[in-house]
Amino acid sequence: LNSRDPQALAARVEELEAAGGSASMAAFDVTDTAAIRLAVEQIDRQFGRLDILVNNAGIVSRNLLHDLTDHDWNSVLDADLTACFHLAREASRPMVRQGWGRIVNISSVMGNLARPSIAPYVAAKAGVHGLTRALAVELGPKGVNVNCIGPGFYPASQNEVVRRDKAFYDWVANRAPLGRWGDPAELGGAVIYFSSPASSFCNGQVLMVDGGMTIAL
């Protein structure tokens, strides 16, 4: 498990172990390329292999175009797109060596759609779709499948501000044919699919888990 917060990671490890699973943790910032390299090397040494990478870290900055700073733009692109590239580059090294691996990028419906005030986020998530395809064609022949999941609207710390706006919350719920926000547990099946032999012939794809939002007018 990865996060910038060791205490949050430790709590999640305890939760998983209490449920009968096992887990280890590596606390580092995904925008720190040296820390990424060191973490992957440590995982490889500890376990002798690395099978699955899920690129799930991300941030959002909310400002209209004329109020966006260079820092706003760069920080979102660094965390939401460039970090996926750096993590995939390092994690795929042991995957290629062993001839098998799975990389699952987490994008968003905003990779296909757009809303005002989140231009860096929209650009980054569209970039994740392109990165997924590029890595899939390069790594696929080496036994590493690369796919992407595009979540719709789910409760998360990044959207807590807009979730407090009941009018917006209800508008989002009604925008999707299923008429509600998603439950974070509903993303698990897609991750398992892309990580398992069930998806062995699926490569370079973006699966929208959005209640039908991106196919509805």
Side-chain angles (χ1 to χ4, degrees):
L1 303 180
N2 163 254
S3 167
R4 292 176 294 183
D5 185 345
Q7 291 183 330
L9 280 175
R12 185 53 59 90
V13 168
E14 290 180 6
E15 180 183 339
L16 290 169
E17 291 177 342
S22 61
S24 60
M25 52 183 268
F28 63 89
D29 189 326
V30 295
T31 64
D32 185 337
T33 54
I36 289 172
R37 190 174 300 112
L38 179 61
V40 171
E41 290 173 354
Q42 290 176 337
I43 289 168
D44 194 19
R45 281 197 301 270
Q46 181 178 354
F47 298 102
R49 60 187 298 117
L50 199 166
D51 295 306
I52 302 160
L53 166 68
V54 180
N55 276 322
N56 190 44
I59 62 173
V60 62
S61 178
R62 301 181 189 279
N63 263 318
L64 293 173
L65 177 62
H66 294 163
D67 296 319
L68 274 172
T69 66
D70 290 352
H71 174 75
D72 292 332
W73 176 267
N74 291 329
S75 61
V76 174
L77 268 291
D78 285 347
D80 293 13
L81 176 58
T82 305
C84 293
F85 157 69
H86 286 145
L87 281 156
R89 182 182 62 187
E90 300 309 318
S92 65
R93 297 185 195 278
M95 293 179 184
V96 168
R97 183 192 67 217
Q98 66 204 26
W100 194 96
R102 297 288 185 266
I103 296 174
V104 184
N105 294 321
I106 307 299
S107 175
S108 165
V109 291
M110 293 303 154
N112 287 353
L113 305 175
R115 293 194 68 254
S117 80
I118 55 170
Y121 187 80
V122 172
K125 294 306 184 180
V128 171
H129 293 183
L131 179 65
T132 297
R133 291 189 292 271
L135 297 181
V137 297
E138 182 171 341
L139 296 176
K142 300 174 182 179
V144 181
N145 291 23
V146 185
N147 290 288
C148 181
I149 297 169
F153 281 77
Y154 293 75
S157 58
Q158 293 96 326
N159 60 34
E160 185 178 355
V161 171
V162 294
R163 276 189 290 124
R164 293 199 201 105
D165 182 340
K166 187 177 185 307
F168 179 81
Y169 185 94
D170 291 345
W171 176 81
V172 167
N174 294 325
R175 174 73 173 71
L178 293 189
R180 61 179 176 85
W181 285 51
D183 183 326
E186 293 176 301
L187 289 172
V191 176
I192 292 169
Y193 170 67
F194 280 140
S195 302
S196 77
S199 65
S200 58
F201 201 54
C202 189
N203 191 35
Q205 302 304 305
V206 179
L207 174 62
M208 290 296 174
V209 187
D210 64 355
M213 176 176 284
T214 50
I215 53 88
L217 285 174

PDB file of all heavy atoms in Angstrom, residues 184-215:
ATOM      1  N   PRO A 184     -17.566   3.495  -3.531  1.00  0.00           N
ATOM      2  CA  PRO A 184     -16.181   3.127  -3.820  1.00  0.00           C
ATOM      3  C   PRO A 184     -15.960   1.619  -3.952  1.00  0.00           C
ATOM      4  O   PRO A 184     -15.103   1.184  -4.728  1.00  0.00           O
ATOM      5  CB  PRO A 184     -15.411   3.700  -2.620  1.00  0.00           C
ATOM      6  CG  PRO A 184     -16.225   4.893  -2.217  1.00  0.00           C
ATOM      7  CD  PRO A 184     -17.662   4.490  -2.437  1.00  0.00           C
ATOM      8  N   ALA A 185     -16.743   0.821  -3.233  1.00  0.00           N
ATOM      9  CA  ALA A 185     -16.607  -0.637  -3.336  1.00  0.00           C
ATOM     10  C   ALA A 185     -16.915  -1.130  -4.742  1.00  0.00           C
ATOM     11  O   ALA A 185     -16.467  -2.211  -5.146  1.00  0.00           O
ATOM     12  CB  ALA A 185     -17.520  -1.315  -2.319  1.00  0.00           C
ATOM     13  N   GLU A 186     -17.670  -0.333  -5.506  1.00  0.00           N
ATOM     14  CA  GLU A 186     -18.056  -0.766  -6.851  1.00  0.00           C
ATOM     15  C   GLU A 186     -16.926  -0.650  -7.864  1.00  0.00           C
ATOM     16  O   GLU A 186     -17.058  -1.103  -9.008  1.00  0.00           O
ATOM     17  CB  GLU A 186     -19.270   0.042  -7.322  1.00  0.00           C
ATOM     18  CG  GLU A 186     -20.526  -0.270  -6.511  1.00  0.00           C
ATOM     19  CD  GLU A 186     -21.724   0.569  -6.889  1.00  0.00           C
ATOM     20  OE1 GLU A 186     -21.624   1.814  -6.785  1.00  0.00           O
ATOM     21  OE2 GLU A 186     -22.752  -0.017  -7.277  1.00  0.00           O
ATOM     22  N   LEU A 187     -15.816  -0.052  -7.467  1.00  0.00           N
ATOM     23  CA  LEU A 187     -14.647  -0.001  -8.346  1.00  0.00           C
ATOM     24  C   LEU A 187     -13.776  -1.245  -8.214  1.00  0.00           C
ATOM     25  O   LEU A 187     -12.972  -1.548  -9.097  1.00  0.00           O
ATOM     26  CB  LEU A 187     -13.795   1.230  -8.034  1.00  0.00           C
ATOM     27  CG  LEU A 187     -14.380   2.572  -8.441  1.00  0.00           C
ATOM     28  CD1 LEU A 187     -13.530   3.708  -7.888  1.00  0.00           C
ATOM     29  CD2 LEU A 187     -14.482   2.677  -9.951  1.00  0.00           C
ATOM     30  N   GLY A 188     -13.927  -1.960  -7.109  1.00  0.00           N
ATOM     31  CA  GLY A 188     -13.050  -3.098  -6.835  1.00  0.00           C
ATOM     32  C   GLY A 188     -13.106  -4.173  -7.894  1.00  0.00           C
ATOM     33  O   GLY A 188     -12.076  -4.740  -8.279  1.00  0.00           O
ATOM     34  N   GLY A 189     -14.310  -4.474  -8.384  1.00  0.00           N
ATOM     35  CA  GLY A 189     -14.441  -5.534  -9.371  1.00  0.00           C
ATOM     36  C   GLY A 189     -13.676  -5.252 -10.643  1.00  0.00           C
ATOM     37  O   GLY A 189     -13.079  -6.153 -11.248  1.00  0.00           O
ATOM     38  N   ALA A 190     -13.684  -3.994 -11.075  1.00  0.00           N
ATOM     39  CA  ALA A 190     -12.960  -3.628 -12.299  1.00  0.00           C
ATOM     40  C   ALA A 190     -11.457  -3.779 -12.104  1.00  0.00           C
ATOM     41  O   ALA A 190     -10.745  -4.237 -13.008  1.00  0.00           O
ATOM     42  CB  ALA A 190     -13.312  -2.200 -12.699  1.00  0.00           C
ATOM     43  N   VAL A 191     -10.958  -3.398 -10.928  1.00  0.00           N
ATOM     44  CA  VAL A 191      -9.531  -3.552 -10.645  1.00  0.00           C
ATOM     45  C   VAL A 191      -9.152  -5.029 -10.623  1.00  0.00           C
ATOM     46  O   VAL A 191      -8.124  -5.438 -11.177  1.00  0.00           O
ATOM     47  CB  VAL A 191      -9.160  -2.878  -9.305  1.00  0.00           C
ATOM     48  CG1 VAL A 191      -7.688  -3.120  -8.974  1.00  0.00           C
ATOM     49  CG2 VAL A 191      -9.437  -1.382  -9.363  1.00  0.00           C
ATOM     50  N   ILE A 192      -9.998  -5.846  -9.983  1.00  0.00           N
ATOM     51  CA  ILE A 192      -9.725  -7.282  -9.936  1.00  0.00           C
ATOM     52  C   ILE A 192      -9.723  -7.875 -11.342  1.00  0.00           C
ATOM     53  O   ILE A 192      -8.870  -8.695 -11.696  1.00  0.00           O
ATOM     54  CB  ILE A 192     -10.762  -7.992  -9.040  1.00  0.00           C
ATOM     55  CG1 ILE A 192     -10.551  -7.579  -7.583  1.00  0.00           C
ATOM     56  CG2 ILE A 192     -10.673  -9.509  -9.185  1.00  0.00           C
ATOM     57  CD1 ILE A 192     -11.664  -8.012  -6.657  1.00  0.00           C
ATOM     58  N   TYR A 193     -10.689  -7.458 -12.161  1.00  0.00           N
ATOM     59  CA  TYR A 193     -10.753  -7.953 -13.534  1.00  0.00           C
ATOM     60  C   TYR A 193      -9.457  -7.654 -14.291  1.00  0.00           C
ATOM     61  O   TYR A 193      -8.845  -8.545 -14.890  1.00  0.00           O
ATOM     62  CB  TYR A 193     -11.948  -7.334 -14.258  1.00  0.00           C
ATOM     63  CG  TYR A 193     -11.955  -7.591 -15.744  1.00  0.00           C
ATOM     64  CD1 TYR A 193     -12.144  -8.878 -16.251  1.00  0.00           C
ATOM     65  CD2 TYR A 193     -11.751  -6.543 -16.645  1.00  0.00           C
ATOM     66  CE1 TYR A 193     -12.122  -9.115 -17.622  1.00  0.00           C
ATOM     67  CE2 TYR A 193     -11.735  -6.772 -18.013  1.00  0.00           C
ATOM     68  CZ  TYR A 193     -11.924  -8.060 -18.498  1.00  0.00           C
ATOM     69  OH  TYR A 193     -11.900  -8.290 -19.848  1.00  0.00           O
ATOM     70  N   PHE A 194      -9.028  -6.405 -14.264  1.00  0.00           N
ATOM     71  CA  PHE A 194      -7.834  -6.031 -15.007  1.00  0.00           C
ATOM     72  C   PHE A 194      -6.563  -6.643 -14.420  1.00  0.00           C
ATOM     73  O   PHE A 194      -5.535  -6.715 -15.109  1.00  0.00           O
ATOM     74  CB  PHE A 194      -7.691  -4.512 -15.068  1.00  0.00           C
ATOM     75  CG  PHE A 194      -8.554  -3.862 -16.106  1.00  0.00           C
ATOM     76  CD1 PHE A 194      -9.199  -2.656 -15.843  1.00  0.00           C
ATOM     77  CD2 PHE A 194      -8.710  -4.424 -17.363  1.00  0.00           C
ATOM     78  CE1 PHE A 194      -9.985  -2.036 -16.803  1.00  0.00           C
ATOM     79  CE2 PHE A 194      -9.496  -3.807 -18.335  1.00  0.00           C
ATOM     80  CZ  PHE A 194     -10.133  -2.617 -18.052  1.00  0.00           C
ATOM     81  N   SER A 195      -6.614  -7.065 -13.157  1.00  0.00           N
ATOM     82  CA  SER A 195      -5.437  -7.629 -12.500  1.00  0.00           C
ATOM     83  C   SER A 195      -5.366  -9.143 -12.618  1.00  0.00           C
ATOM     84  O   SER A 195      -4.357  -9.742 -12.229  1.00  0.00           O
ATOM     85  CB  SER A 195      -5.438  -7.245 -11.010  1.00  0.00           C
ATOM     86  OG  SER A 195      -5.458  -5.842 -10.844  1.00  0.00           O
ATOM     87  N   SER A 196      -6.412  -9.767 -13.113  1.00  0.00           N
ATOM     88  CA  SER A 196      -6.525 -11.221 -13.074  1.00  0.00           C
ATOM     89  C   SER A 196      -6.398 -11.840 -14.461  1.00  0.00           C
ATOM     90  O   SER A 196      -6.452 -11.138 -15.483  1.00  0.00           O
ATOM     91  CB  SER A 196      -7.881 -11.602 -12.482  1.00  0.00           C
ATOM     92  OG  SER A 196      -8.913 -11.427 -13.450  1.00  0.00           O
ATOM     93  N   PRO A 197      -6.267 -13.169 -14.540  1.00  0.00           N
ATOM     94  CA  PRO A 197      -6.226 -13.848 -15.839  1.00  0.00           C
ATOM     95  C   PRO A 197      -7.498 -13.653 -16.660  1.00  0.00           C
ATOM     96  O   PRO A 197      -7.486 -13.877 -17.871  1.00  0.00           O
ATOM     97  CB  PRO A 197      -6.033 -15.320 -15.455  1.00  0.00           C
ATOM     98  CG  PRO A 197      -5.364 -15.290 -14.117  1.00  0.00           C
ATOM     99  CD  PRO A 197      -5.967 -14.101 -13.426  1.00  0.00           C
ATOM    100  N   ALA A 198      -8.596 -13.236 -16.018  1.00  0.00           N
ATOM    101  CA  ALA A 198      -9.841 -13.022 -16.764  1.00  0.00           C
ATOM    102  C   ALA A 198      -9.685 -11.970 -17.858  1.00  0.00           C
ATOM    103  O   ALA A 198     -10.409 -11.997 -18.850  1.00  0.00           O
ATOM    104  CB  ALA A 198     -10.961 -12.612 -15.806  1.00  0.00           C
ATOM    105  N   SER A 199      -8.744 -11.055 -17.679  1.00  0.00           N
ATOM    106  CA  SER A 199      -8.548  -9.974 -18.666  1.00  0.00           C
ATOM    107  C   SER A 199      -7.297 -10.189 -19.504  1.00  0.00           C
ATOM    108  O   SER A 199      -6.728  -9.235 -20.037  1.00  0.00           O
ATOM    109  CB  SER A 199      -8.451  -8.624 -17.948  1.00  0.00           C
ATOM    110  OG  SER A 199      -7.283  -8.585 -17.125  1.00  0.00           O
ATOM    111  N   SER A 200      -6.866 -11.434 -19.648  1.00  0.00           N
ATOM    112  CA  SER A 200      -5.581 -11.712 -20.290  1.00  0.00           C
ATOM    113  C   SER A 200      -5.508 -11.234 -21.737  1.00  0.00           C
ATOM    114  O   SER A 200      -4.422 -11.006 -22.263  1.00  0.00           O
ATOM    115  CB  SER A 200      -5.276 -13.205 -20.226  1.00  0.00           C
ATOM    116  OG  SER A 200      -6.313 -13.953 -20.851  1.00  0.00           O
ATOM    117  N   PHE A 201      -6.658 -11.063 -22.414  1.00  0.00           N
ATOM    118  CA  PHE A 201      -6.649 -10.587 -23.805  1.00  0.00           C
ATOM    119  C   PHE A 201      -7.176  -9.157 -23.904  1.00  0.00           C
ATOM    120  O   PHE A 201      -7.543  -8.690 -24.974  1.00  0.00           O
ATOM    121  CB  PHE A 201      -7.475 -11.526 -24.694  1.00  0.00           C
ATOM    122  CG  PHE A 201      -7.131 -11.433 -26.155  1.00  0.00           C
ATOM    123  CD1 PHE A 201      -5.831 -11.591 -26.595  1.00  0.00           C
ATOM    124  CD2 PHE A 201      -8.115 -11.188 -27.102  1.00  0.00           C
ATOM    125  CE1 PHE A 201      -5.502 -11.497 -27.942  1.00  0.00           C
ATOM    126  CE2 PHE A 201      -7.803 -11.101 -28.452  1.00  0.00           C
ATOM    127  CZ  PHE A 201      -6.496 -11.253 -28.873  1.00  0.00           C
ATOM    128  N   CYS A 202      -7.194  -8.461 -22.786  1.00  0.00           N
ATOM    129  CA  CYS A 202      -7.660  -7.077 -22.742  1.00  0.00           C
ATOM    130  C   CYS A 202      -6.446  -6.183 -22.494  1.00  0.00           C
ATOM    131  O   CYS A 202      -5.757  -6.326 -21.482  1.00  0.00           O
ATOM    132  CB  CYS A 202      -8.697  -6.908 -21.629  1.00  0.00           C
ATOM    133  SG  CYS A 202      -9.536  -5.322 -21.644  1.00  0.00           S
ATOM    134  N   ASN A 203      -6.175  -5.278 -23.401  1.00  0.00           N
ATOM    135  CA  ASN A 203      -4.968  -4.469 -23.305  1.00  0.00           C
ATOM    136  C   ASN A 203      -5.216  -3.098 -23.928  1.00  0.00           C
ATOM    137  O   ASN A 203      -5.791  -2.987 -25.006  1.00  0.00           O
ATOM    138  CB  ASN A 203      -3.809  -5.170 -24.033  1.00  0.00           C
ATOM    139  CG  ASN A 203      -2.458  -4.539 -23.762  1.00  0.00           C
ATOM    140  OD1 ASN A 203      -2.194  -4.060 -22.662  1.00  0.00           O
ATOM    141  ND2 ASN A 203      -1.581  -4.551 -24.754  1.00  0.00           N
ATOM    142  N   GLY A 204      -4.827  -2.047 -23.207  1.00  0.00           N
ATOM    143  CA  GLY A 204      -4.946  -0.690 -23.726  1.00  0.00           C
ATOM    144  C   GLY A 204      -6.350  -0.121 -23.687  1.00  0.00           C
ATOM    145  O   GLY A 204      -6.652   0.842 -24.387  1.00  0.00           O
ATOM    146  N   GLN A 205      -7.208  -0.682 -22.822  1.00  0.00           N
ATOM    147  CA  GLN A 205      -8.611  -0.276 -22.799  1.00  0.00           C
ATOM    148  C   GLN A 205      -8.918   0.642 -21.616  1.00  0.00           C
ATOM    149  O   GLN A 205      -8.264   0.581 -20.584  1.00  0.00           O
ATOM    150  CB  GLN A 205      -9.519  -1.505 -22.728  1.00  0.00           C
ATOM    151  CG  GLN A 205      -9.322  -2.467 -23.887  1.00  0.00           C
ATOM    152  CD  GLN A 205      -9.521  -1.793 -25.231  1.00  0.00           C
ATOM    153  OE1 GLN A 205     -10.569  -1.197 -25.480  1.00  0.00           O
ATOM    154  NE2 GLN A 205      -8.519  -1.871 -26.094  1.00  0.00           N
ATOM    155  N   VAL A 206      -9.942   1.482 -21.792  1.00  0.00           N
ATOM    156  CA  VAL A 206     -10.456   2.331 -20.720  1.00  0.00           C
ATOM    157  C   VAL A 206     -11.875   1.877 -20.412  1.00  0.00           C
ATOM    158  O   VAL A 206     -12.752   1.931 -21.270  1.00  0.00           O
ATOM    159  CB  VAL A 206     -10.456   3.817 -21.115  1.00  0.00           C
ATOM    160  CG1 VAL A 206     -11.029   4.668 -19.971  1.00  0.00           C
ATOM    161  CG2 VAL A 206      -9.044   4.285 -21.469  1.00  0.00           C
ATOM    162  N   LEU A 207     -12.094   1.394 -19.198  1.00  0.00           N
ATOM    163  CA  LEU A 207     -13.410   0.931 -18.758  1.00  0.00           C
ATOM    164  C   LEU A 207     -14.035   1.995 -17.869  1.00  0.00           C
ATOM    165  O   LEU A 207     -13.526   2.301 -16.792  1.00  0.00           O
ATOM    166  CB  LEU A 207     -13.280  -0.384 -17.992  1.00  0.00           C
ATOM    167  CG  LEU A 207     -14.549  -0.919 -17.335  1.00  0.00           C
ATOM    168  CD1 LEU A 207     -15.625  -1.223 -18.382  1.00  0.00           C
ATOM    169  CD2 LEU A 207     -14.246  -2.165 -16.507  1.00  0.00           C
ATOM    170  N   MET A 208     -15.139   2.581 -18.320  1.00  0.00           N
ATOM    171  CA  MET A 208     -15.834   3.586 -17.532  1.00  0.00           C
ATOM    172  C   MET A 208     -16.767   2.911 -16.522  1.00  0.00           C
ATOM    173  O   MET A 208     -17.655   2.155 -16.910  1.00  0.00           O
ATOM    174  CB  MET A 208     -16.640   4.510 -18.447  1.00  0.00           C
ATOM    175  CG  MET A 208     -15.786   5.418 -19.301  1.00  0.00           C
ATOM    176  SD  MET A 208     -14.848   6.573 -18.268  1.00  0.00           S
ATOM    177  CE  MET A 208     -13.824   7.363 -19.504  1.00  0.00           C
ATOM    178  N   VAL A 209     -16.539   3.180 -15.255  1.00  0.00           N
ATOM    179  CA  VAL A 209     -17.381   2.650 -14.186  1.00  0.00           C
ATOM    180  C   VAL A 209     -18.101   3.870 -13.598  1.00  0.00           C
ATOM    181  O   VAL A 209     -17.740   4.401 -12.549  1.00  0.00           O
ATOM    182  CB  VAL A 209     -16.559   1.901 -13.131  1.00  0.00           C
ATOM    183  CG1 VAL A 209     -17.477   1.210 -12.123  1.00  0.00           C
ATOM    184  CG2 VAL A 209     -15.661   0.860 -13.798  1.00  0.00           C
ATOM    185  N   ASP A 210     -19.129   4.317 -14.328  1.00  0.00           N
ATOM    186  CA  ASP A 210     -19.704   5.648 -14.083  1.00  0.00           C
ATOM    187  C   ASP A 210     -21.213   5.681 -14.033  1.00  0.00           C
ATOM    188  O   ASP A 210     -21.816   6.747 -14.140  1.00  0.00           O
ATOM    189  CB  ASP A 210     -19.201   6.617 -15.159  1.00  0.00           C
ATOM    190  CG  ASP A 210     -19.680   6.238 -16.565  1.00  0.00           C
ATOM    191  OD1 ASP A 210     -20.320   5.173 -16.715  1.00  0.00           O
ATOM    192  OD2 ASP A 210     -19.432   7.016 -17.504  1.00  0.00           O
ATOM    193  N   GLY A 211     -21.838   4.513 -13.899  1.00  0.00           N
ATOM    194  CA  GLY A 211     -23.293   4.479 -13.874  1.00  0.00           C
ATOM    195  C   GLY A 211     -23.927   4.853 -15.205  1.00  0.00           C
ATOM    196  O   GLY A 211     -25.127   5.108 -15.267  1.00  0.00           O
ATOM    197  N   GLY A 212     -23.128   4.894 -16.267  1.00  0.00           N
ATOM    198  CA  GLY A 212     -23.636   5.255 -17.587  1.00  0.00           C
ATOM    199  C   GLY A 212     -23.556   6.724 -17.917  1.00  0.00           C
ATOM    200  O   GLY A 212     -24.054   7.161 -18.955  1.00  0.00           O
ATOM    201  N   MET A 213     -22.871   7.521 -17.085  1.00  0.00           N
ATOM    202  CA  MET A 213     -22.832   8.968 -17.288  1.00  0.00           C
ATOM    203  C   MET A 213     -22.293   9.364 -18.655  1.00  0.00           C
ATOM    204  O   MET A 213     -22.818  10.254 -19.324  1.00  0.00           O
ATOM    205  CB  MET A 213     -21.993   9.626 -16.182  1.00  0.00           C
ATOM    206  CG  MET A 213     -21.818  11.117 -16.370  1.00  0.00           C
ATOM    207  SD  MET A 213     -20.917  11.897 -14.998  1.00  0.00           S
ATOM    208  CE  MET A 213     -22.199  11.936 -13.752  1.00  0.00           C
ATOM    209  N   THR A 214     -21.223   8.692 -19.108  1.00  0.00           N
ATOM    210  CA  THR A 214     -20.583   9.128 -20.340  1.00  0.00           C
ATOM    211  C   THR A 214     -21.285   8.659 -21.608  1.00  0.00           C
ATOM    212  O   THR A 214     -20.869   9.015 -22.722  1.00  0.00           O
ATOM    213  CB  THR A 214     -19.119   8.635 -20.384  1.00  0.00           C
ATOM    214  OG1 THR A 214     -19.081   7.231 -20.102  1.00  0.00           O
ATOM    215  CG2 THR A 214     -18.272   9.384 -19.396  1.00  0.00           C
ATOM    216  N   ILE A 215     -22.390   7.894 -21.461  1.00  0.00           N
ATOM    217  CA  ILE A 215     -23.117   7.473 -22.665  1.00  0.00           C
ATOM    218  C   ILE A 215     -24.525   8.079 -22.705  1.00  0.00           C
ATOM    219  O   ILE A 215     -25.322   7.764 -23.582  1.00  0.00           O
ATOM    220  CB  ILE A 215     -23.206   5.930 -22.776  1.00  0.00           C
ATOM    221  CG1 ILE A 215     -23.782   5.282 -21.499  1.00  0.00           C
ATOM    222  CG2 ILE A 215     -21.821   5.357 -23.040  1.00  0.00           C
ATOM    223  CD1 ILE A 215     -25.256   5.164 -21.442  1.00  0.00           C
TER     224      ILE A 215
END
